Amino acid sequence: MKLKELEKLIAEGVENGAFPGAAYAIVFKDYIYTNCCGYKALYPEKELNDVNTIYDMASCSKVISTASCILKLIEMGKIRLFTKVSDIIPEFIHKDLTIWNLVTHTTGLIECVPNHANIKSSDEIWEKVMTAPKILETGKEIKYSDINFILLGEIIKRVSGYPLEEFSKKEIFDKCEMFDTGYNPKDIKRCAPTEERNDLVVQGIVRGKVHDETAYTLGGIAGHAGLFSTANDTAKFIQMILNDGMYKNTKVFSKCIIDMMYTPLVTQKVGLSVLPLQRSVGWIIKDYNPACGDLVSNNTIGHTGFTGTNLWIDRDKEVGFCLLSNRVHPTRNNIKHMELRPKVANYLIANLESIKEEIKNAN
């Protein structure tokens, strides 16, 4: 049974200390398979995991929520990729930067707000975002920066007239029946705890609050982090993309918008590698040493999250996958998940037809 072998491979992540536990989903156009393993929490006491565990999605927020909302505003005719950031946020100091630069991580801005773990004031965070310095010339290389997506979250708010959490719920999550997805979850007990913080802002294990320090100070809602979700909800989002923007009988996006997700906007050569670094509107397209493994097609998009979450969607093979974990519980000093993720993806793709048939027969 290839499915059992795949699940054994994921469960070995618990045994080897890659994460306390995980929930995951294999997604096809017409059905979804979800399961889980390990523990939801290790401290202060062990709690068994289940498929309804709510995970801090970390930077997967960037694509599931923020990039999706930007694409929705493009679809609605409200903005263009080449709209200048300062046309919407006049107080932003860099007048040359565009939304295109933000979504492709080509602004050259610093990676994050300096000393963010010890900043208690949201006003101070915003002041640092609006005056963030460049460390590279704009457009010279892909340089990942949380500040890019913090700005995108603010653009969504100012253009749509709704806060990010409301616009994403209205335009994306409700339409995909993702009722366990959103910001600042109310059912703390269902949430997987993350890291133990001991700084000027928080002391103790974080649970039901965003792990990212900047997003935490911003009230749990930001363009770069803050989203919480389940494996089943994430699977619904993936399924919508596999079906060219349709979820069941509801149109979430036009097909041309889904096409944009798979269209490279920037590429960057890596040594002798044939596959360059590639990004579309927020999404990582299969590139050099991808988290989605070596066997997915080149027509694959995905993203990862610092807390131990990831998703990828192979358009050619018509399959998607998400693995949600809290690998930072109780500490971030663990990167074993990074080696496990591509191995799991490789096994799934290598045995795709057998696994697909087993899931179909089980349904």
Side-chain angles (χ1 to χ4, degrees):
M1 298 286 282
K2 300 299 183 182
L3 179 59
K4 291 297 180 187
E5 288 300 314
L6 176 71
E7 298 192 313
K8 182 180 177 183
L9 190 60
I10 297 171
E12 286 173 0
V14 178
E15 297 168 16
N16 296 333
F19 36 66
Y24 49 92
I26 304 168
V27 188
F28 302 101
K29 283 187 170 184
D30 50 353
Y31 48 93
I32 292 169
Y33 175 82
T34 57
N35 208 342
C36 67
C37 61
Y39 297 92
K40 178 192 303 182
L42 297 179
Y43 303 98
E45 58 186 18
K46 285 187 174 181
E47 298 175 40
L48 279 173
N49 205 12
D50 63 69
V51 293
N52 295 313
T53 295
I54 298 171
Y55 283 94
D56 180 335
M57 299 298 289
S59 282
C60 287
S61 308
K62 289 181 171 75
V63 289
I64 297 173
S65 181
T66 308
S68 293
C69 291
I70 288 294
L71 285 165
K72 177 55 67 175
L73 290 173
I74 291 172
E75 184 183 59
M76 295 166 69
K78 301 289 188 182
I79 57 172
R80 292 186 64 223
L81 283 177
F82 296 95
T83 300
K84 287 194 172 181
V85 177
S86 61
D87 286 348
I88 301 168
I89 309 175
E91 60 268 41
F92 183 57
I93 66 168
H94 299 290
K95 306 305 180 184
D96 60 323
L97 297 185
T98 65
I99 291 172
W100 187 91
N101 294 129
L102 299 180
V103 299
T104 58
H105 291 290
T106 57
T107 59
L109 293 173
I110 55 173
E111 184 176 352
C112 59
V113 173
N115 195 34
H116 54 190
N118 293 308
I119 298 176
K120 298 180 179 181
S121 164
S122 61
D123 287 343
E124 185 178 347
I125 293 285
W126 280 116
E127 191 275 331
K128 289 182 181 296
V129 168
M130 295 303 161
T131 59
K134 292 183 184 181
I135 54 174
L136 293 169
E137 184 181 344
T138 296
K140 285 298 181 182
E141 65 179 79
I142 300 167
K143 181 68 174 176
Y144 190 82
S145 172
D146 283 342
I147 291 174
N148 293 332
F149 273 73
I150 295 172
L151 288 164
L152 287 170
E154 182 66 11
I155 286 170
I156 291 160
K157 178 180 177 181
R158 296 195 188 192
V159 172
S160 73
Y162 294 94
L164 174 62
E165 71 274 20
E166 291 183 25
F167 190 72
S168 57
K169 182 179 186 298
K170 173 175 173 281
E171 295 295 340
I172 313 296
F173 308 146
D174 283 355
K175 292 179 180 179
C176 291
E177 298 179 4
M178 297 165 65
F179 301 129
D180 285 323
T181 300
Y183 298 81
N184 291 322
K186 293 181 175 60
D187 195 343
I188 306 301
K189 190 67 177 174
R190 284 182 59 194
C191 295
T194 53
E195 194 169 21
E196 182 175 7
R197 286 181 64 177
N198 287 290
D199 49 55
L200 297 180
V201 180
V202 178
Q203 294 77 45
I205 291 174
V206 177
R207 185 169 192 171
K209 299 287 185 181
V210 63
H211 171 265
D212 180 89
E213 295 93 341
T214 301
Y216 189 102
T217 300
L218 290 174
I221 303 160
H224 71 298
L227 191 70
F228 285 74
S229 190
T230 63
N232 189 51
D233 270 12
T234 305
K236 292 174 181 177
F237 178 79
I238 292 170
Q239 192 172 62
M240 177 271 293
I241 292 175
L242 286 172
N243 284 292
D244 290 334
M246 295 292 296
Y247 182 74
K248 295 182 178 178
N249 295 318
T250 300
K251 182 179 178 181
V252 184
F253 287 113
S254 301
K255 180 180 178 297
C256 60
I257 295 295
I258 304 300
D259 292 342
M260 279 189 73
M261 295 180 183
Y262 285 87
T263 302
L265 296 179
V266 290
T267 63
Q268 182 176 314
K269 185 73 175 169
V270 182
L272 297 175
S273 174
V274 173
L275 280 178
L277 300 178
Q278 299 185 97
R279 288 192 179 268
S280 64
V281 180
W283 289 91
I284 301 167
I285 299 174
K286 185 190 175 183
D287 59 11
Y288 173 77
N289 192 21
C292 55
D294 314 296
L295 303 181
V296 295
S297 78
N298 290 347
N299 205 17
T300 299
I301 58 174
H303 213 282
T304 61
F306 188 81
T307 51
T309 57
N310 85 296
L311 74 156
W312 52 262
I313 313 160
D314 188 328
R315 202 177 196 185
D316 287 354
K317 297 184 187 297
E318 299 183 341
V319 63
F321 180 75
C322 67
L323 178 66
L324 311 186
S325 79
N326 54 336
R327 69 95 191 169
V328 294
H329 178 63
T331 172
R332 68 182 66 193
N333 298 325
N334 164 34
I335 58 170
K336 294 179 181 178
H337 67 296
M338 295 181 73
E339 181 69 11
L340 179 64
R341 289 186 306 212
K343 289 179 178 177
V344 170
N346 283 346
Y347 189 90
L348 173 57
I349 295 298
N351 298 280
L352 185 60
E353 291 309 313
S354 296
I355 290 172
K356 187 175 183 179
E357 193 63 27
E358 287 176 38
I359 293 172
K360 194 171 184 179
N361 290 338
N363 287 345

